[in-house]
Structure formats: C-alpha cells, structure tokens
Amino acid sequence: MENIPFKWRVSQIFGDKSSIEKIADQDKISSLEFDSTGNYIAVGDRGGRVILFQSNHVANESEEESDLDEEELMKEEEKEKNEENEEEEEEEEEKSKQKKSLQYKFYSEFQSHEPEFDYLKSIDIEEKINKIQWIKRRNRSHLLLSTNDQTIKLWKIFSKEKELVTEFNKERQENESINNPKDLLFPKTQVEEISKEAYNKRTYGSAHAYNINSISLSSDDEVFISSDELRINLWHLERTDKSFNIVDLKPEDLEQLSEVITCSQFHPNESNQFIYSLSKGVIHLGDLRQSAKCLNSVKVFEDEETSLNDSFFTEIMSNISDIKYSPCGRYILSRNYTTLKVWDVKMESKPLATLCVHDFSHSKLCELYENDFIFDKFECNWSGDGKYAITGSYENYYYLFDWKKNKGMLIDGSKTTKIYSKFYETQNPNENSNNIFSNNNKLSYDSDNVDFSKKIFNVSWNPYNPFIAVAATNILYLYTGKVGTKK
C-alpha cells in the first residue's frame, strides 16, 4: 500500500468555459484570496470587480443574514443560555456541518475600481484588481482592502434588510365604533428580502508614483503596507490623508537603478517585521523597531548559486514574482520563473529547498523572451499547516509540493473529473536532491506542445481545510482533498 496525503477532486467550478479567444479581457481573474477563517473567498478581475463566495458552513447561520441591534443580540444570548435543549441542537448542527463536504456559493459582487486617466502623466490607469486583503471581522460586517495600480480602497460588505408592513389597523368605518384602546391593532413588519451591499469606507490614494504590486495587513489589524516598484509605504487604517515611507530605493539618477521591488508582506504574528523581494532574486527582512525608515535590512536572503550563474536570461528568471510567510512565520516561500524556494528565517545563505517548476523553459528561452512569456508572474501559497506549497504553471497545470520530504505533485487544473494525484520524488537523493524533476517520473508535461495562453497565476489554500482555489483565465476551480491509501 502507498500512502497518498491527498486525493484531489474538483468540488466546484465558477465561470464560463468559453474558448480563450472569446473571453473578454475584463473577465479574466487577477487576484484570489481566502479570508482568515476559510469561509469566504474573494476574487478580483481585470474589470475592477470583486466577487465574494461563502461556504456552506456559515450560509445557514442566522447571524449572517442580518445586522441586528445590540439589544436584540443580548436577548438572543440570554435565551441560548437559559434553554439547554437549544444548546444541544446547536452542537448537533455543528457536528453535521463538519461531516458535510465544504461547498461555496455566490455571496456578493461589487465594482471596486473604475478606469481613470492621469492628466499629469498622460496615462490610463486600469481598473484591474492587483491584490485583495481581508481584514479580520470585528462585527457582522466584512472588511477588505482592494487595490489597482494607484488607489487602495477599504470596503465594507454588510447585509441590508427590506421590511414590509404585513398587518394594518382596521378600516375607518370600524375605527369609529372602537371605544376601547385594546381593540386597536398595531401594524407589524416582516423582512421580505435581505441584500448584500458594499460601501467604500475609505480611499487611500496619491501616495505611489509607480504601480502598486502588493498590500499586506499587519497582525494587529491596525496598519498595512503597500509597495510599488521603488517604495513601500506604511498606512494606518483610520488615516487616508497620510502615509509613512519605510523603504525607498529610488536613486537620484534613475539611470543608476538596477533593481526594483516586486512584492512585500507583513509577518503573520509580529507587527514590526516585514519582508520584501527584489527583481534580482534577493529577499530583505525589515524591522520597524530598529528604524522607522528601513534603510538597512536586518537580514538578506540570497541564493549564492543563482548569483554565480549570472547571464541575461538568468537575471530575468531570478526575478521574484511572489513571496509568502509560512503560517507560523518561521519560513519564507518565494517564486521566480523556474523555481519555488523555501527559506528559513534563521538561515540567510541558502534556501532549505529549491523546487523546479516547468523545467522545459530552459530549452525555449529565446521563444519565451520574444513573446514576453518569460515576464509572467506566478503566485505561490502555503497550506494551513505549512507542510505543503502550491504554485501555478502553463497548460492550466499547478504544482503541489511536500517540501520537507522533497516530493511534488502535478495537477491538471482544468480537469473536471478524476485528476492525477501522485507524489514523486528524486530517484537519486544524493544527486540534485532539491530537484524533484527527472526523466523517469511524470512530474512534467510535454514541453514541445505547450499552450502558453493557458496559465494559472492565482492560487490560494484554505487555512483550515485541504481545499484549494485555482484561477484559470476567467474560471475559478475549487478542489477538495481527502487523505487515503492506494494499492
């Protein structure tokens, strides 16, 4: 028997399965993010829209249906405490919810950004959603940050009730005969419809001279950072008129510019630490306790082997497109064009694991460069327990790695039936132990017939369940995994 950590299958599909030529550019998915509970998914597209999906674990809860007053909530809590039978029923309902497979349904949709024109620079500002960041819930409403190239917005999504009067008083002729006030009937209302609405609470703009590539919320939920190609700014959620610059790479003469910022993220547990990556494959760790403006990084993570093999193509391919802290904050996951690397925060000299992705690209570098495919930016993500890492590739494939055991899995993201879900490892662990690719395994696809128009940029993992969300062009695929064995 062979142990398989996960048997993956397609759970749900959202989107129109049209040919790529017929898909409008504004319908293509550009960002994807689970919230901290895993019960909601936010999807942003190139048309500036944000679509929210809700899991079946909370869809039937009464607290999700409306925003009640505090007095009503207190009364409900008192009733729940006094009635033991209701508590037992709630426990049974929770157990039954855990047994049910995780499913998502449409929750809300709103227009986050509109196309704009910068008259000073004479350029068009696209409405495309670059990044989405959920904020932990403090009440019954949802809060999230969304950004395009220049403007960050804070949105509040809430439920709004529409009430109608169901019982009226008596007719006028009957009212004339009423002598006792007790005979009067008071009108009653009934909730007819509950709608989800989005409200733009705050807009953070006019702070970036270049395109915003990432936003990240701190662990205290009070401040967040936003980064463009040359600067990283620190914002307070309550202040829209002012931000503080904490990293500035802009030289006096732009001709001396040799590298740019590609991504940034706050530490998941420490509100004073953050990381940012550069186009030359270097990751910097900054600490706001050391200096308000992080001119000198606390730690610098650089792969010596990459820096030694310096050439025209290797410099482009070493460009880090995405970085992610592990849920515990001990490790850093980085993705460049050809590899996925896992770094230990305590070891700067080399990564713990270097995992190869679409290794066929080395034989097609000229073709990839001429068609600008070599500049594609793929995201990466961790599983909730930090044991696995995922990232996208071409042909609507994505990779799932067990990085500690040096194993990998290749999954066809466009399949709607059974999918190939076997882990492979290197046959000669002493040689190239970090490279899981070999000629004798199946962790690759036909390099001669690759459709580069089909690619998966955005991937996200549910923080509490073996559940993956994958965006392929305009389609959202949801995969669920089950632990099992295979003969």
Side-chain angles (χ1 to χ4, degrees), residues 57 92-102 465:
H57 288 188
E92 292 178 359
E93 288 179 0
E94 290 178 359
K95 291 180 180 179
S96 62
K97 286 177 183 177
Q98 294 176 357
K99 294 180 181 179
K100 292 181 180 179
S101 60
L102 190 61
N465 296 285

Side-chain angles (χ1 to χ4, degrees), residues 133-299:
Q133 178 72 64
W134 287 92
I135 299 175
K136 292 180 181 178
R137 294 181 65 183
R138 301 174 182 174
N139 48 40
R140 294 172 183 263
S141 302
H142 299 274
L143 294 174
L144 59 84
L145 293 167
S146 64
T147 181
N148 63 352
D149 289 339
Q150 293 294 320
T151 306
I152 306 169
K153 294 184 179 182
L154 175 63
W155 290 92
K156 176 182 178 181
I157 299 91
F158 59 96
S159 300
K160 186 175 181 180
E161 295 180 351
K162 182 179 179 182
E163 296 184 352
L164 292 178
V165 179
T166 56
E167 293 185 12
F168 295 91
N169 211 335
K170 294 184 179 182
E171 298 293 337
R172 290 186 177 181
Q173 297 178 355
E174 298 180 0
N175 292 341
E176 294 177 357
S177 61
I178 295 176
N179 297 322
N180 192 348
K182 294 182 180 180
D183 295 334
L184 289 172
L185 297 177
F186 289 92
K188 295 182 180 180
T189 60
Q190 183 178 355
V191 178
E192 184 187 57
E193 183 182 358
I194 300 175
S195 60
K196 304 297 186 298
E197 295 192 6
Y199 169 66
N200 182 206
K201 291 193 68 176
R202 297 180 183 90
T203 299
Y204 313 87
S206 304
H208 287 277
Y210 304 93
N211 294 340
I212 299 173
N213 53 45
S214 59
I215 53 176
S216 179
L217 188 69
S218 68
S219 58
D220 58 12
D221 291 338
E222 292 186 1
V223 297
F224 68 93
I225 55 175
S226 61
S227 62
D228 60 24
E229 295 173 344
L230 296 181
R231 292 187 177 94
I232 300 178
N233 294 332
L234 180 69
W235 300 82
H236 195 282
L237 283 173
E238 304 294 332
R239 293 286 302 272
T240 61
D241 58 337
K242 191 174 183 181
S243 63
F244 186 79
N245 179 245
I246 57 177
V247 175
D248 190 351
L249 299 184
K250 186 177 182 180
E252 294 182 0
D253 186 3
L254 285 177
E255 293 183 356
Q256 300 176 357
L257 185 65
S258 60
E259 55 187 355
V260 295
I261 300 171
T262 59
C263 190
S264 62
Q265 189 192 23
F266 256 121
H267 192 281
N269 304 317
E270 303 291 339
S271 59
N272 55 280
Q273 295 183 15
F274 67 97
I275 53 175
Y276 63 95
S277 57
L278 301 178
S279 56
K280 286 190 175 181
V282 183
I283 301 174
H284 290 259
L285 189 149
D287 194 334
L288 294 174
R289 295 174 299 182
Q290 186 183 51
S291 174
K293 195 164 187 175
C294 301
L295 300 176
N296 298 318
S297 302
V298 178
K299 292 185 178 182

